[in-house]
Amino acid sequence: AQSVTQLGSHVSVSEGALVLLRCNYSSSVPPYLFWYVQYPNQGLQLLLKYTSAATLVKGINGFEAEFKKSETSFHLTKPSAHMSDAAEYFCAVSGYTGRRALTFGSGTRLQVQP
Amino acid sequence: GAVVSQHPSWVICKSGTSVKIECRSLDFQATTMFWYRQFPKQSLMLMATSNEGSKATYEQGVEKDKFLINHASLTLSTLTVTSAHPEDSSFYICSALIAGGLDEQFFGPGTRLTVL
């Protein structure tokens, strides 16, 4: 069984500030981990993914995430927030083959204040 | 590349009618597609896994007679909501895996269904 916990349903930061969105996972097999972003009334766009290669993963739009097995975490960070980063962010996990469906966290809404 | 489309993007129907939603992989072949539903301000919940040429696998609690899934080709999966009721109103999102590819799912833009 797999599960994902995203701490904080809402996160608000100032423009230019550090963004930190938290994700902890539970998986009985080596996980594949993903971060997706969703803008209102749109589908999901992949930000980055971890698939057992480098533990520090760099994604699009300046985001990165670090896989920490000992902490079962995969937190998403960005050094400097931009207004366009305001959206819903989902952490997700799948099984080692990656061919199983994704299990999503509950999501974190990021607000960026001017 | 790896674009997934959904049609329609939104639909409003009367209670009791059936609605078909299409999910197409535009520039790749997809042996596996997934259907998710998302209620307002909530996360995505997997409804079913659709494999080309075989019956869909439904998640626990999802009525297969109500949500009919057909994956007749490597580029098209359809979800039909039969005898829709207001509680079926939701955002339906499909995703697709590239045949022979690795682990990344590509998501469609979603279909908003409103049942009056």
Side-chain angles (χ1 to χ4, degrees):
Chain A
Q2 298 171 313
S3 65
V4 174
T5 301
Q6 289 183 242
L7 296 176
S9 58
H10 289 83
V11 170
S12 181
V13 300
S14 299
E15 191 174 19
L18 172 71
V19 176
L20 170 61
L21 304 182
R22 299 180 185 273
C23 172
N24 288 88
Y25 71 91
S26 173
S27 177
S28 57
V29 296
Y32 284 8
L33 293 159
F34 306 81
W35 275 101
Y36 288 88
V37 60
Q38 184 182 34
Y39 296 98
N41 295 312
Q42 294 186 27
L44 276 68
Q45 181 182 9
L46 180 67
L47 284 176
L48 48 81
K49 62 182 178 180
Y50 166 77
T51 57
S52 75
T55 56
L56 182 61
V57 181
K58 295 186 182 298
I60 62 172
N61 300 339
F63 285 94
E64 64 180 36
E66 185 173 8
F67 172 70
K68 292 186 176 181
K69 184 178 180 180
S70 61
E71 299 178 7
T72 61
S73 68
F74 191 58
H75 301 329
L76 181 70
T77 60
K78 182 175 180 178
S80 177
H82 191 272
M83 296 296 290
S84 61
D85 294 327
E88 188 85 19
Y89 291 80
F90 292 97
C91 182
V93 63
S94 73
Y96 70 100
T97 65
R99 288 188 170 272
R100 296 168 55 188
L102 294 169
T103 299
F104 286 88
S106 55
T108 297
R109 180 165 299 278
L110 176 65
Q111 290 182 315
V112 182
Q113 307 291 340
Chain B
V3 178
V4 176
S5 70
Q6 282 185 240
H7 179 79
S9 56
W10 59 270
V11 57
I12 301 173
C13 68
K14 293 182 179 180
S15 184
T17 60
S18 295
V19 175
K20 179 183 285 188
I21 302 170
E22 293 184 348
C23 176
R24 293 182 183 272
S25 56
L26 298 185
D27 50 3
F28 66 97
Q29 293 183 329
T31 52
T32 302
M33 290 184 173
F34 303 97
W35 286 95
Y36 298 85
R37 66 186 298 182
Q38 184 181 30
F39 290 107
K41 300 184 179 182
Q42 294 188 27
S43 188
L44 283 77
M45 300 298 294
L46 177 68
M47 298 176 67
T49 301
S50 169
N51 292 296
E52 187 266 338
S54 63
K55 291 183 178 180
T57 302
Y58 291 82
E59 294 300 296
Q60 190 173 9
V62 177
E63 299 176 60
K64 59 183 178 181
D65 294 331
K66 181 168 187 62
F67 298 100
L68 300 178
I69 292 173
N70 185 7
H71 193 160
S73 78
L74 287 173
T75 59
L76 174 65
S77 177
T78 59
L79 168 67
T80 301
V81 183
T82 62
S83 186
H85 287 90
E87 58 266 29
D88 298 324
S89 298
S90 187
F91 195 50
Y92 293 87
I93 303 176
C94 72
S95 69
L97 287 174
I98 296 178
L102 297 176
D103 52 276
E104 182 177 348
Q105 291 184 31
F106 297 92
F107 285 82
T111 296
R112 182 161 300 285
L113 170 63
T114 301
V115 184
L116 302 177

